[in-house]
Amino acid sequence: MITFDDYSDQYDAWFQRNQVLLESELRLVAHVLGERPGRTLSVGCGTGLFEQLLKSQYDISITEGLEPSAAMGEIARKRGMSVAEAGAEQMPMADGIYDTVMFNGSPGYIGDLDAAVAEAHRLLKPGGRVLLIDVPAESSYGILYRLGGAYGSWDDERLRGVLPADPYPVELAGGANWRPTQDKIDAALKAGFSDLSYAQTLTRHPCFSDTTPEDPIPGYQSGDYVAVCAVKG
Ligand SMILES: C[S@@+](CC[C@H](N)C(=O)[O-])C[C@H]1O[C@@H](n2cnc3c(N)ncnc32)[C@H](O)[C@@H]1O
């Protein structure tokens, strides 16, 4: 799996150039968090870009993060987050202290998702929620990202006419382990979560997804960015 250490600047810069995608994803994340998510841990918080926007645009405060890439975590700290440098498979946090554990964009970069979701279960209070938000392998973007990774370049002739104007860095697209939504559902059930619910955004073809922002809709069968939400009983 790829490390984000060499991509921390590129990652944020890509989102800055892709404001419509950022806005659609942000609306989904804010929607599933709800107005009062309580004490929340952002797992794989990256540069803290979403957390900064959640605060400024929705007054949702997430100040605690976990991030294995020193370079990404450093930017999140500059944005005011407190970040533990660790992987999700073994999190250095006490049992039962969070109301919400959010994985935004990180499931595809985590080697052992079952272990990470079991850790989230351990960290949550009874009644707490895990949010697994990611690009499903079966979605248009999921397929495109795996093709880009396989071809090693967005310039391959076989991708002519199917790309968004400014695609995600191909190394990051190809360096992930994009999983079907069913794997995230299975990981949540295996860890002991119940009451699963779903929301999705980016429901147009990738080459048209950056025209206007989308509001999230229920379900997971047509979105290129999908949230699986589950409750610790
Ligand atoms: C696509 S970025 C998402 C960052 C941020 N949450 C966002 O939405 O902008 C994926 C992040 O997952 C992190 N990551 C990679 N392996 C991880 C692991 N084992 N545990 C937790 N996070 C991991 C990467 O370093 C990277 O910052």
Short mmCIF file of all heavy atoms in Angstrom, two decimals, residues 26-35 54 58 60 129 198-200 216-218:
data_model
loop_
_atom_site.label_atom_id
_atom_site.label_comp_id
_atom_site.label_asym_id
_atom_site.label_seq_id
_atom_site.Cartn_x
_atom_site.Cartn_y
_atom_site.Cartn_z
N LEU A 26 -17.84 16.70 1.06
CA LEU A 26 -18.02 17.36 2.35
C LEU A 26 -19.50 17.30 2.79
O LEU A 26 -19.80 17.05 3.95
CB LEU A 26 -17.56 18.82 2.24
CG LEU A 26 -17.61 19.65 3.50
CD1 LEU A 26 -16.61 19.14 4.54
CD2 LEU A 26 -17.32 21.13 3.19
N ARG A 27 -20.41 17.49 1.84
CA ARG A 27 -21.84 17.41 2.17
C ARG A 27 -22.20 16.02 2.68
O ARG A 27 -22.99 15.87 3.60
CB ARG A 27 -22.69 17.75 0.94
CG ARG A 27 -22.65 19.22 0.59
CD ARG A 27 -23.57 19.52 -0.59
NE ARG A 27 -23.32 20.85 -1.12
CZ ARG A 27 -23.99 21.38 -2.14
NH1 ARG A 27 -24.96 20.70 -2.72
NH2 ARG A 27 -23.69 22.60 -2.58
N LEU A 28 -21.62 14.99 2.07
CA LEU A 28 -21.90 13.61 2.52
C LEU A 28 -21.36 13.42 3.94
O LEU A 28 -22.05 12.88 4.81
CB LEU A 28 -21.25 12.60 1.57
CG LEU A 28 -21.37 11.14 2.02
CD1 LEU A 28 -22.79 10.62 1.86
CD2 LEU A 28 -20.41 10.24 1.26
N VAL A 29 -20.13 13.86 4.16
CA VAL A 29 -19.50 13.66 5.47
C VAL A 29 -20.29 14.41 6.55
O VAL A 29 -20.59 13.85 7.62
CB VAL A 29 -18.02 14.11 5.43
CG1 VAL A 29 -17.39 14.05 6.82
CG2 VAL A 29 -17.22 13.24 4.46
N ALA A 30 -20.66 15.65 6.27
CA ALA A 30 -21.44 16.44 7.25
C ALA A 30 -22.80 15.78 7.51
O ALA A 30 -23.27 15.72 8.64
CB ALA A 30 -21.62 17.87 6.73
N HIS A 31 -23.40 15.26 6.44
CA HIS A 31 -24.72 14.62 6.57
C HIS A 31 -24.65 13.41 7.51
O HIS A 31 -25.50 13.26 8.39
CB HIS A 31 -25.19 14.20 5.17
CG HIS A 31 -26.39 13.33 5.16
ND1 HIS A 31 -27.66 13.81 5.47
CD2 HIS A 31 -26.53 12.01 4.91
CE1 HIS A 31 -28.51 12.80 5.39
NE2 HIS A 31 -27.86 11.71 5.06
N VAL A 32 -23.65 12.54 7.32
CA VAL A 32 -23.62 11.34 8.16
C VAL A 32 -23.11 11.63 9.57
O VAL A 32 -23.47 10.94 10.51
CB VAL A 32 -22.84 10.16 7.51
CG1 VAL A 32 -23.55 9.68 6.26
CG2 VAL A 32 -21.39 10.51 7.22
N LEU A 33 -22.29 12.67 9.72
CA LEU A 33 -21.87 13.04 11.08
C LEU A 33 -23.06 13.57 11.87
O LEU A 33 -23.21 13.28 13.06
CB LEU A 33 -20.78 14.12 11.03
CG LEU A 33 -19.36 13.65 10.78
CD1 LEU A 33 -18.46 14.82 10.40
CD2 LEU A 33 -18.79 12.93 12.01
N GLY A 34 -23.93 14.34 11.20
CA GLY A 34 -25.03 14.99 11.90
C GLY A 34 -24.53 16.20 12.67
O GLY A 34 -23.32 16.43 12.78
N GLU A 35 -25.49 16.97 13.21
CA GLU A 35 -25.08 18.24 13.85
C GLU A 35 -24.25 18.04 15.10
O GLU A 35 -23.40 18.84 15.43
CB GLU A 35 -26.33 19.05 14.20
CG GLU A 35 -26.89 19.78 13.00
CD GLU A 35 -28.20 20.47 13.31
OE1 GLU A 35 -28.44 20.80 14.49
OE2 GLU A 35 -28.99 20.65 12.37
N LEU A 54 -15.41 21.30 7.98
CA LEU A 54 -16.58 20.94 8.80
C LEU A 54 -16.79 21.98 9.89
O LEU A 54 -17.92 22.35 10.21
CB LEU A 54 -16.38 19.56 9.43
CG LEU A 54 -16.53 18.38 8.46
CD1 LEU A 54 -15.94 17.11 9.05
CD2 LEU A 54 -18.00 18.17 8.06
N TYR A 58 -19.94 24.04 8.91
CA TYR A 58 -21.06 23.33 9.57
C TYR A 58 -21.01 23.46 11.10
O TYR A 58 -21.85 22.89 11.78
CB TYR A 58 -21.04 21.85 9.19
CG TYR A 58 -21.33 21.60 7.73
CD1 TYR A 58 -20.32 21.60 6.77
CD2 TYR A 58 -22.63 21.37 7.29
CE1 TYR A 58 -20.58 21.36 5.43
CE2 TYR A 58 -22.91 21.14 5.95
CZ TYR A 58 -21.88 21.14 5.03
OH TYR A 58 -22.15 20.91 3.70
N ILE A 60 -19.14 21.86 13.00
CA ILE A 60 -18.90 20.52 13.55
C ILE A 60 -17.42 20.46 13.93
O ILE A 60 -16.54 20.66 13.09
CB ILE A 60 -19.22 19.42 12.52
CG1 ILE A 60 -20.72 19.42 12.17
CG2 ILE A 60 -18.78 18.05 13.04
CD1 ILE A 60 -21.09 18.49 11.02
N ARG A 129 -21.02 5.43 17.10
CA ARG A 129 -21.14 5.06 15.67
C ARG A 129 -19.79 5.03 14.98
O ARG A 129 -18.93 5.87 15.22
CB ARG A 129 -22.00 6.10 14.93
CG ARG A 129 -23.47 6.09 15.33
CD ARG A 129 -24.25 7.07 14.47
NE ARG A 129 -23.61 8.38 14.45
CZ ARG A 129 -23.63 9.22 13.40
NH1 ARG A 129 -24.24 8.90 12.30
NH2 ARG A 129 -23.04 10.39 13.48
N TYR A 198 -26.87 3.83 5.21
CA TYR A 198 -25.98 4.17 4.10
C TYR A 198 -26.37 5.52 3.49
O TYR A 198 -27.55 5.87 3.44
CB TYR A 198 -26.08 3.09 3.00
CG TYR A 198 -25.99 1.69 3.55
CD1 TYR A 198 -27.15 0.96 3.82
CD2 TYR A 198 -24.76 1.12 3.84
CE1 TYR A 198 -27.09 -0.31 4.36
CE2 TYR A 198 -24.68 -0.16 4.38
CZ TYR A 198 -25.85 -0.87 4.64
OH TYR A 198 -25.78 -2.13 5.19
N ALA A 199 -25.36 6.23 2.99
CA ALA A 199 -25.62 7.45 2.21
C ALA A 199 -24.54 7.53 1.13
O ALA A 199 -23.44 6.97 1.28
CB ALA A 199 -25.59 8.67 3.10
N GLN A 200 -24.85 8.24 0.04
CA GLN A 200 -23.93 8.25 -1.10
C GLN A 200 -23.98 9.60 -1.82
O GLN A 200 -24.97 10.33 -1.76
CB GLN A 200 -24.29 7.13 -2.08
CG GLN A 200 -25.73 7.21 -2.59
CD GLN A 200 -26.18 5.96 -3.32
OE1 GLN A 200 -25.35 5.22 -3.85
NE2 GLN A 200 -27.49 5.72 -3.39
N PRO A 216 -26.11 14.54 -0.73
CA PRO A 216 -26.13 13.09 -0.52
C PRO A 216 -27.54 12.53 -0.61
O PRO A 216 -28.51 13.24 -0.31
CB PRO A 216 -25.57 12.93 0.89
CG PRO A 216 -25.71 14.26 1.54
CD PRO A 216 -25.69 15.29 0.47
N ILE A 217 -27.63 11.27 -1.02
CA ILE A 217 -28.91 10.56 -1.04
C ILE A 217 -28.72 9.22 -0.30
O ILE A 217 -27.60 8.76 -0.16
CB ILE A 217 -29.42 10.32 -2.49
CG1 ILE A 217 -28.39 9.53 -3.32
CG2 ILE A 217 -29.77 11.64 -3.17
CD1 ILE A 217 -28.89 9.09 -4.68
N PRO A 218 -29.83 8.62 0.15
CA PRO A 218 -29.68 7.34 0.85
C PRO A 218 -29.20 6.23 -0.07
O PRO A 218 -29.37 6.30 -1.29
CB PRO A 218 -31.11 7.03 1.34
CG PRO A 218 -31.88 8.29 1.19
CD PRO A 218 -31.22 9.09 0.10
#
